[in-house]
Amino acid sequence: MSGYTMAELGFGALDLTPAIPYYMEHVGEVDFWIPLYQCLMDRDLDSVKRLIARGDNIEGLLPGNPKPNDYGTPLHIAAMYCPEAIDALLAAGANPNATRPADGFNTLMVAAQSNNLQSAKKLLSKNKDLFFGKAGFFGSPIAVAEFYDSFDVLRWLLQVEERQRAGNPNWFDDAADAEHVKALAAARAEAEARRLAEEADKRAKEAADAEAKKKAEEEA
């Protein structure tokens, strides 16, 4: 294998698509591509699971390569193209905090870059530390979403940031946060119902006391 990087091949470090024709023409000559990547790009979950089961390297490493290639790990590819595979990769032991060598992006930043909202939500729900990732001049996944005009992910991340700043315990997990908000609303409703009941009891007692006092005065 030649050991070429994507930059050396002229494909840049961000767009996977141009690499495919080259790879198909030069199978065995370059070491930046593995079958698991292609299955993830095709969103072929059954094949992804079969490759994981047969022992394919879930960190994107090939024999003789101590580091992931420029595109990062299969989890980065899943973040871009195949959110359905994220659970399978993590269950198989994929590093949830892996960064992409080309730019230092964690998987949430990659999801933000590609505007993949489903991936972003799933990744953050499983690893809240991703929200605080930094890479180069990108100070956060929010900055990545802003730079790449990833409006779907950006709107959601801003909502997440608001929840985090408000101190919501499940700010990083939409489903858990919704349950938390629901529980808070139920608690508030219960407290309000209790307050109204107590107020009604107080008024009833005051009315009964007034009636008793009036009756006593009349009898006197």
Side-chain angles (χ1 to χ4, degrees), residues 188-202:
R188 284 195 292 267
E190 183 179 350
E192 179 65 8
R194 188 164 53 247
R195 184 189 68 79
L196 292 173
E198 292 172 352
E199 186 175 301
D201 289 344
K202 180 180 178 181

Side-chain angles (χ1 to χ4, degrees), residues 38 80 122 135 145 171 186 198:
Q38 188 64 56
M80 296 178 71
K122 180 168 289 190
W171 58 269
E198 292 172 352

Side-chain angles (χ1 to χ4, degrees), residues 76-93:
H76 287 92
I77 309 301
M80 296 178 71
Y81 295 102
C82 191
E84 302 87 352
I86 290 173
D87 286 333
L89 289 168
L90 289 173

